[in-house]
Amino acid sequence: MGWEALGQWGDDAARIQPLTGGVANDVWSVRVDGRLAVGRLGSRSDADLAWETELIQYLDHEGLTVPVPIPTTDGRLFADGLVVMTYVDGGPPGTRADWRRVAGTLRELHRLTQGWPQRPGWRSSTDLLHAETGTKVDLGEMPPEGVARCRAAWARLAGRRTCVVHGDPNNLGNIRMTADRVGLIDWDESHVDVPDLDLVLPGNAAGLDDDAYDIAAQASAAWEAAVCWDDEFSVKRLAEVRPV
């Protein structure tokens, strides 16, 4: 259906302008019931979007600042691949203190979501020690030597507790800070995994010890190589994963 689906949020619902940052989705500022909001149109399944919108509603209820889904006129949280969400204002982190606040917010996300079910069709990094595919990952497309390096990095995470990870907190566009809160937007990469994957932050703002930081950084580089293989960024990230 495309953007015609926006009509399900009301006769006056309208697109305003495209927003940067969307890779897998078409993201626009929209107006719904006279309010500024954000619309994200993509090809994810209903099960995938149900998982994400349920998660976001829960996090909002628990006090995190997130883009809350706005229902259609008949009460649905998404329709025909389109999700409309509240607009979260604020700016990116700019100081070490800002990044420490981001780390604190990510740890709260991790605390709140221990035991959360996996996003439909996704695999965690440690699942990929044995599985070949999961949503955006297809290890069969990577060179075998690269797969071996990625799996060696992920094996160092085996046996750890899991929770929801945001999946892309180092993207400055995904963090909206004000003096009194840290907002996290763009949950398209969120899934269940080991929390340290979210904590490889500038200046080691999460305060990981040297060994923990090395394990997390290697596993994170391996994940980012696998999840978008084989563009320029993924090739660069694989080069950062140490040989076996």
Side-chain angles (χ1 to χ4, degrees), residues 36-58:
L36 179 65
V38 175
R40 190 189 77 197
L41 180 66
S43 58
R44 291 286 176 86
S45 69
D46 284 357
D48 184 284
L49 295 178
W51 183 93
E52 182 181 336
T53 52
E54 179 183 350
L55 169 69
I56 295 298
Q57 285 189 315
Y58 167 72

Side-chain angles (χ1 to χ4, degrees), residues 51 55 117-119 122-125 163-167 187-194 197 223:
W51 183 93
L55 169 69
Q118 183 60 278
R119 191 169 193 151
W122 283 68
R123 306 278 191 179
S124 70
S125 54
C163 58
V164 173
V165 295
H166 177 275
W187 292 79
D188 194 52
E189 299 292 323
S190 60
H191 63 284
V192 170
D193 216 316
V194 175
L197 291 176
W223 177 266

Side-chain angles (χ1 to χ4, degrees), residues 132-185:
E132 290 286 325
T133 61
T135 307
K136 296 167 69 175
V137 175
D138 184 352
L139 297 181
E141 296 296 317
M142 297 181 72
E145 184 269 342
V147 174
R149 284 158 61 189
C150 288
R151 282 178 163 161
W154 297 328
R156 299 169 76 192
L157 300 175
R160 300 196 187 190
R161 68 178 178 87
T162 60
C163 58
V164 173
V165 295
H166 177 275
D168 195 16
N170 279 293
N171 183 337
L172 294 179
N174 291 340
I175 303 171
R176 299 287 175 87
M177 301 187 70
T178 66
D180 59 355
R181 58 140 179 87
V182 177
L184 297 173
I185 67 171

